[in-house]
Amino acid sequence: GQAATHAAMYARQLEAITTLLATRHPDATSRVGRRQFAIAVDQLRRDLPRLDDAHAVVRMMALVASLRDGHTQLQPAGDTAFAVWYPVRFYQFPSGLYITAIDRAHAALVGARVLRIGRLDADEAARRAESVMGADNEWGQEENLFALSNGALLRGLDVVDRADSLELEVQTARGIRRAVLAAVHTGDASFDGRFRGEMFPPFRGGGVDWVTAFGGRAPLTYRDRDPSLPLHLRYRFYFYMQ
């Protein structure tokens, strides 16, 4: 039936992933252990018949991320079903998870501390988001929270029930506020947004009018050499040294 065909397709993709890791990576399982990784692969293979697209892709991404290698990632970049984004950028600070950029229609939330995302408290939602992208260390994991802005990934992580909207509860200077953000379908599922600073959108396109938590500036103003800004907010390109 259709379900069996669907599961077989993902089983072939899983086989291709494990083959690629075995033949291209110098030592893929050095951090996780060969036996432990093989057990995880076998468990996923057995689970595939009962997983929909979002859950199957998220599980495969998490499998690759479990190698804890910041340069070994799995992305559904060519699948427009994953080009479903919420117009908000989150960043993990020592004091908690905060909104560092958002669409101007929700500007009152920018700079707020996040308490809940979808069905979960902010800490658990962030933990799940970190699980789909490999990192070499804890700092790298905290930089990889872009999945919190992707509707398809959050549905596959069981953070939201539906990908088309995101419920938030935040702490602002005026108290606790709740909001619902409608998803933006951009046609671009790439995760390149994780390489940009926390003042930039987590996705490409979408035509969103962004406002940031740092003085209400627009994102592109951070690419100026403005001496009034602290160095970490100034001239924000991918690579910059001073």
Side-chain angles (χ1 to χ4, degrees):
Q2 185 175 358
T5 302
H6 186 264
M9 177 192 71
Y10 279 113
R12 289 193 297 271
Q13 291 186 3
L14 178 59
E15 183 68 24
I17 290 166
T18 56
T19 299
L20 194 62
L21 288 171
T23 57
R24 296 288 184 88
H25 198 293
D27 192 3
T29 59
S30 61
R31 291 185 172 182
V32 67
R34 187 175 300 175
R35 182 174 181 273
Q36 184 176 338
F37 186 71
I39 291 172
V41 170
D42 186 59
Q43 182 63 58
L44 177 52
R45 187 180 292 111
R46 285 186 275 119
D47 290 344
L48 283 174
R50 61 181 179 82
L51 300 178
D52 62 14
D53 288 331
H55 288 83
V57 170
V58 161
R59 286 282 301 276
M60 288 196 290
M61 289 178 66
L63 177 73
V64 176
S66 73
L67 299 173
R68 304 204 305 274
D69 180 348
H71 287 88
T72 302
Q73 316 285 0
L74 179 65
Q75 301 181 34
D79 188 344
T80 55
F82 285 80
V84 183
W85 298 94
Y86 305 121
V88 58
R89 178 73 184 252
F90 302 99
Y91 197 79
Q92 185 75 54
F93 292 91
S95 56
L97 187 73
Y98 286 79
I99 293 174
T100 52
I102 200 167
D103 67 313
R104 198 169 292 276
H106 295 92
L109 305 184
V110 74
R113 181 177 181 180
V114 184
L115 304 177
R116 293 190 66 82
I117 298 176
R119 303 165 52 204
L120 305 175
D121 65 75
D123 288 342
E124 175 61 18
R127 187 190 67 79
R128 295 192 187 187
E130 290 173 357
S131 73
V132 298
M133 189 60 72
D136 297 311
N137 50 45
E138 183 179 346
W139 184 83
Q141 284 184 309
E142 292 182 354
E143 287 289 310
N144 277 340
L145 290 176
F146 68 93
L148 288 177
S149 299
N150 187 280
L153 292 181
L154 286 196
R155 199 178 77 76
L157 291 166
D158 294 320
V159 178
V160 299
D161 296 317
R162 296 177 52 181
D164 58 0
S165 64
L166 178 66
E167 295 183 13
L168 290 177
E169 181 179 297
V170 302
Q171 177 73 56
T172 72
R174 297 187 176 186
I176 294 177
R177 297 191 57 170
R178 295 174 180 84
V180 178
L181 305 184
V184 178
H185 295 260
T186 66
D188 186 343
S190 67
F191 300 155
D192 290 349
R194 74 186 194 278
F195 296 119
R196 296 191 287 273
E198 63 272 19
M199 65 287 296
F200 289 96
F203 54 86
R204 295 184 183 277
V208 178
D209 183 14
W210 289 88
V211 60
T212 72
F214 312 104
R217 294 168 175 264
L220 288 180
T221 63
Y222 297 99
R223 291 186 169 173
D224 298 334
R225 295 177 183 266
D226 185 346
S228 70
L229 290 174
L231 187 58
H232 74 285
L233 296 181
R234 194 188 317 165
Y235 204 60
R236 284 303 295 261
F237 287 90
Y238 288 146
F239 302 101
Y240 175 59
M241 185 182 300
Q242 178 167 319

